[in-house]
Amino acid sequence: MRIRWFLFGVTMPLMSLAAPWDGYNDPKRFGDGYEFRFEALPLKGEIESKDLPWSEIYWPRKYGSINLRWNGTPRVGIGYSSPTKDEVLKMSQEELRKLSPTEKYDLYRGRYDYPLKNLISRVDSSARAPDWSGICDGWTVAAIQFREPRPVTRVNPDGVMIPFASSDIKGLLSYTAARQPLDSIVVGRYCPVGLSLGLPNCRDINPGTYHVILANEIGIRKTSFPGEVDPGKEMWNQPIIGYEFTVLGSAAGAGGSRALRIHSTLHYVEELEWPQWEPVTGTSSWASGKQESDYILELDSEGRITGGTWLTKYSHPDLFWRPTRKVEFKGEFDRLGELYESIEI
């Protein structure tokens, strides 16, 4: 399509902008009953405060994932020994508070052989892991599906009172969400680690798809969902919670088609800098971030969005996704539900 831009009354040079979405980016894959007409879609949206996902660290693999003893000194997650049964029976509450989420969960089950801690040591813990490698995908899903947990104390089979922080339980929820097959729907495409940008499998979410999903899911339905917001080889999953669109210019094309230049601000929940004993929702510790993007939207003769082109190369999401199943407390985590008590909002 050849068009002439009109931006605040200034005529811009002719350019070609045809970029319809492909099968990987069809918004109908993400949700049913979407509105596609640009004029019918809200330019701003946010989820309700009662539904805000919680912040939490992404439990980096280089720190031992949820084997991290975050509440003591030294803070260790790799290569340490856990207390024996006899040692546990003599430990104070203050000493028990300093154990890792996995140690506490194993002890709650009376498992002094620490099966969950040892499993994570083998498969999800490496001092040489990249800085960004962790369970942000599981945190994102858990933060959307579960209200933030409160700290609890539970008695194990030997009468030991095991104290769990809010972050201990959030770590356990995040890990089980990350390791369950949740049959996720994905729009856009991941750029595999080690591949350069620009390859066919590194083409990110189409901006038309981005616009339609945000306006329908957040603007109309007020529903949070996961987004992978880094367009490069790293993966940073965040719960999406809001957006604002600003129309910067418009242009007419052939056959009644039209194009719009859009500036977008995407809002999402951020990770914590460090785990916390108490819940963080509604406090200054809860963290959010934003990403600003510019793109061109393609509209057909009836004003329906059909695709688009990114103008900001490195400031837009890689993809949007969401699971089709709920996280279940089963297998190694079959007793996690006994620890989960949500805060009231």
Side-chain angles (χ1 to χ4, degrees):
M1 176 172 61
R2 303 287 289 181
I3 61 176
R4 184 179 297 274
W5 280 99
F6 295 92
L7 181 60
F8 305 122
V10 179
T11 302
M12 304 297 288
L14 291 169
M15 58 177 66
S16 178
L17 298 169
W21 51 61
D22 59 14
Y24 290 97
N25 284 277
D26 188 344
K28 293 178 182 177
R29 297 178 63 240
F30 205 73
D32 297 326
Y34 277 178
E35 174 64 68
F36 286 80
R37 293 171 299 157
F38 176 81
E39 297 296 340
L41 294 173
L43 294 177
K44 182 177 181 179
E46 60 184 2
I47 67 168
E48 297 182 11
S49 59
K50 67 180 180 62
D51 296 322
L52 275 177
W54 28 269
S55 297
E56 182 51 51
I57 70 165
Y58 62 99
W59 300 94
R61 292 178 63 231
K62 69 180 295 182
Y63 296 152
S65 187
I66 58 171
N67 281 350
L68 176 64
R69 286 182 172 178
W70 59 270
N71 195 37
T73 303
R75 294 167 171 173
V76 295
I78 297 174
Y80 63 85
S81 297
S82 295
T84 65
K85 179 178 179 179
D86 288 342
E87 290 171 334
V88 169
L89 294 175
K90 298 174 184 177
M91 291 176 72
S92 67
Q93 283 291 290
E94 187 61 31
E95 290 171 322
L96 289 167
R97 286 166 67 102
K98 296 177 181 179
L99 297 179
S100 70
T102 51
E103 289 176 297
K104 293 179 184 181
Y105 183 70
D106 283 334
L107 290 177
Y108 169 65
R109 299 184 296 164
R111 296 297 302 270
Y112 299 93
D113 56 342
Y114 300 98
L116 180 57
K117 180 220 171 184
N118 291 333
L119 171 66
I120 290 175
S121 293
R122 292 195 305 271
V123 303
D124 271 312
S125 176
S126 172
R128 292 179 292 190
D131 289 344
W132 54 267
S133 178
I135 54 171
C136 63
D137 55 340
W139 156 60
T140 298
V141 170
I144 292 172
Q145 290 193 8
F146 297 96
R147 291 195 184 278
E148 188 169 20
R150 66 174 75 248
V152 297
T153 299
R154 295 288 187 266
V155 183
N156 88 342
D158 298 298
V160 180
M161 305 287 287
I162 310 297
F164 291 86
S166 178
S167 276
D168 292 331
I169 299 170
K170 288 192 287 184
L172 293 164
L173 289 172
S174 299
Y175 190 85
T176 190
R179 296 299 172 256
Q180 280 188 15
L182 299 177
D183 298 337
S184 295
I185 298 170
V186 178
V187 291
R189 301 192 222 183
Y190 278 117
C191 185
V193 176
L195 294 180
S196 61
L197 297 174
L199 296 177
N201 55 344
C202 287
R203 292 171 185 161
D204 306 316
I205 187 172
N206 184 286
T209 308
Y210 165 94
H211 194 105
V212 168
I213 291 176
L214 280 176
N216 279 274
E217 292 292 335
I218 304 290
I220 296 175
R221 301 179 182 180
K222 310 297 183 184
T223 303
S224 181
F225 59 88
E228 201 280 280
V229 301
D230 190 308
K233 66 181 182 180
E234 296 184 4
M235 296 182 185
W236 290 98
N237 292 286
Q238 321 284 160
I240 306 301
I241 58 171
Y243 70 88
E244 293 113 30
F245 300 141
T246 302
V247 180
L248 300 180
S250 65
S257 61
R258 188 169 163 230
L260 299 173
R261 180 166 180 161
I262 306 293
H263 177 79
S264 169
T265 303
L266 178 70
H267 298 274
Y268 51 82
V269 182
E270 275 275 25
E271 300 87 357
L272 291 178
E273 293 185 7
W274 199 250
Q276 302 288 319
W277 195 268
E278 297 293 334
V280 299
T281 303
T283 75
S284 59
S285 295
W286 182 87
S288 65
K290 65 180 181 179
Q291 182 182 65
E292 302 202 30
S293 308
D294 289 282
Y295 54 90
I296 294 164
L297 277 184
E298 307 281 347
L299 279 59
D300 66 14
S301 59
E302 297 182 4
R304 294 174 300 198
I305 299 169
T306 60
T309 302
W310 291 111
L311 299 176
T312 46
K313 187 174 182 180
Y314 298 116
S315 181
H316 59 261
D318 212 353
L319 49 83
F320 289 157
W321 63 280
R322 68 178 174 196
T324 61
R325 297 183 183 182
K326 295 290 186 181
V327 176
E328 298 181 63
F329 302 138
K330 61 183 181 180
E332 197 71 35
F333 294 94
D334 60 352
R335 300 190 63 185
L336 181 52
E338 299 169 17
L339 307 178
Y340 175 66
E341 292 182 5
S342 66
I343 63 171
E344 298 296 328
I345 301 178

